[in-house]
Amino acid sequence: MRAVVCTAYGPPEVLQLAEVPEPSPKDNEVLIKIFASAVTASDCIVRGFKVPSAFRIPMGLALGFSKPRNPILGMIAAGEVVSAGKGVKRFEAGNQVYTFSIRRFGTYAEYMCLPADGVIAPKPSNLTYEEAAAIPYGGLLALHYLRKGNIQSGQKVLIYGASGAVGTSAVQLARHFGAQVTGICSTANLELVRSLGADTVVDYTREDPNNREERYHFVFDAVGRRKSSRFQGTKATAPNGKYISVDDGSPKLDVEGLTFLTRLVEAGKLKPVIDRRYPLEQIVEAHRYVDQGHKKGNVVISVQHSSRA
Ligand SMILES: NC(=O)c1ccc[n+]([C@@H]2O[C@H](COP(=O)([O-])OP(=O)(O)OC[C@H]3O[C@@H](n4cnc5c(N)ncnc54)[C@H](OP(=O)(O)O)[C@@H]3O)[C@@H](O)[C@H]2O)c1
């Protein structure tokens, strides 16, 4: 099968299209024919081994020191179950699924195997595979952090970085939870963020977000501490409120969350936001774009199957 392999940590050019053996599922695994993937901010961090020095040893131990132990990167896939190991009860051939393959990676390929008890759920029936690939990453991360905020209906929520993969999901989920949402982004993304349901949008290029007089029950920094060091989230937080950054702690990403997102999408409460689409063959260009850190929502990869039907 065709897959993108990462030969060393480094710039996007370390990714190369290659012919590799097709995997076969173990007893507890499913074999998925992948039709779409996504290039996420996390993919770029892994590819470039771009972590603060304190995390270099744990990350090297987990993923490999000079190059990734699993050379096929990618965490997001939408596709069809081709076959299931004999111990698998949850899925069968023909099921349309999507996944957030957190530790295994392997989604920049035509096929992948995953444990059936991993973060895999039925794909929303009203989305194409490419649209579905725009849901799990931002959706699960935003859901995790918003649940930590314990938002009650009518509360005021501030989302900094409202136009990225995490931010666009956070705006929609906060609205679903009944919050009054203020989204902060740059000029070009104001309309997008408003269209996702934000009650108020703030342009950080024209107004210093640290000088807002309003106080919020929950302030969510969806940009992350490394890039948003100028944003002082605690200043905008109400006395009994909570401020949290997307870089705080290890998010819990599980199948319950993904199934919850499937239901929200099917109910029309959560929509995929796709900035650009690239074929698998242009993964280097896709990584160059995501590396810039200003995508609007998601960058999706389409996987064409030429060799087998
Ligand atoms: N805790 C964890 O384990 C974990 C896991 C995954 C991801 N993350 C973090 O989540 C972050 C967000 O991921 P994502 O996929 O949503 O990223 P993304 O799609 O690349 O979005 C980045 C957003 O940040 C905004 N932005 C970039 N630079 C900015 C700046 N200097 N000031 C203000 N806004 C800025 C961009 O908006 P404009 O274009 O309008 O500036 C864009 O909306 C990642 O950077 C990563 O650090 C954490």
Side-chain angles (χ1 to χ4, degrees), residues 286-297:
H287 267 251
R288 280 189 197 129
Y289 182 60
V290 177
D291 260 354
Q292 292 168 22
H294 291 282
K295 65 182 164 58
K296 305 173 205 306

Side-chain angles (χ1 to χ4, degrees), residues 42 137 145 160 163-166 186 189 204 222 246-247 293-295:
S42 298
Y137 181 82
Y145 288 104
Y160 184 69
S163 60
V166 178
S186 61
N189 297 323
Y204 73 73
V246 69
D247 281 336
H294 291 282
K295 65 182 164 58

Side-chain angles (χ1 to χ4, degrees), residues 131 134-135 163 168-169 172 192 196 271-275 296-300:
E131 289 168 336
I135 296 293
S163 60
T168 52
S169 296
Q172 296 182 79
L192 166 70
L196 296 173
K271 293 187 169 32
V273 178
I274 298 178
D275 182 346
K296 305 173 205 306
N298 299 271
V299 166
V300 163

Side-chain angles (χ1 to χ4, degrees), residues 4-6 11-17 47 73 108 283-284 287:
V4 171
V5 294
C6 180
E13 293 71 24
V14 298
L15 301 172
Q16 292 171 6
L17 199 63
R47 186 218 68 230
L73 300 184
Y108 295 168
I283 198 91
V284 171
H287 267 251

Side-chain angles (χ1 to χ4, degrees), residues 256-277:
E256 179 277 323
L258 193 57
T259 307
F260 177 80
L261 296 179
T262 300
R263 284 198 212 103
L264 279 192
V265 172
E266 290 178 344
K269 309 271 187 200
L270 177 65
K271 293 187 169 32
V273 178
I274 298 178
D275 182 346
R276 294 189 181 184
R277 299 165 200 245

Side-chain angles (χ1 to χ4, degrees), residues 193-303:
V193 173
R194 199 178 280 120
S195 75
L196 296 173
D199 301 279
T200 307
V201 288
V202 176
D203 182 346
Y204 73 73
T205 69
R206 288 164 193 248
E207 179 187 328
D208 184 346
N210 295 320
N211 291 341
R212 288 193 73 69
E213 286 185 5
E214 203 154 8
R215 294 292 171 262
Y216 299 85
H217 294 99
F218 183 55
V219 176
F220 179 41
D221 172 6
V223 178
R225 293 190 188 280
R226 279 169 302 141
K227 283 189 285 179
S228 67
S229 51
R230 279 173 302 163
F231 178 59
Q232 296 157 5
T234 45
K235 272 183 89 173
T237 310
N240 292 327
K242 190 165 189 173
Y243 159 66
I244 201 160
S245 161
V246 69
D247 281 336
D248 290 343
S250 299
K252 179 171 167 257
L253 312 169
D254 60 18
V255 71
E256 179 277 323
L258 193 57
T259 307
F260 177 80
L261 296 179
T262 300
R263 284 198 212 103
L264 279 192
V265 172
E266 290 178 344
K269 309 271 187 200
L270 177 65
K271 293 187 169 32
V273 178
I274 298 178
D275 182 346
R276 294 189 181 184
R277 299 165 200 245
Y278 294 86
L280 189 65
E281 295 74 15
Q282 287 179 18
I283 198 91
V284 171
E285 285 83 349
H287 267 251
R288 280 189 197 129
Y289 182 60
V290 177
D291 260 354
Q292 292 168 22
H294 291 282
K295 65 182 164 58
K296 305 173 205 306
N298 299 271
V299 166
V300 163
I301 299 296
S302 61
V303 183

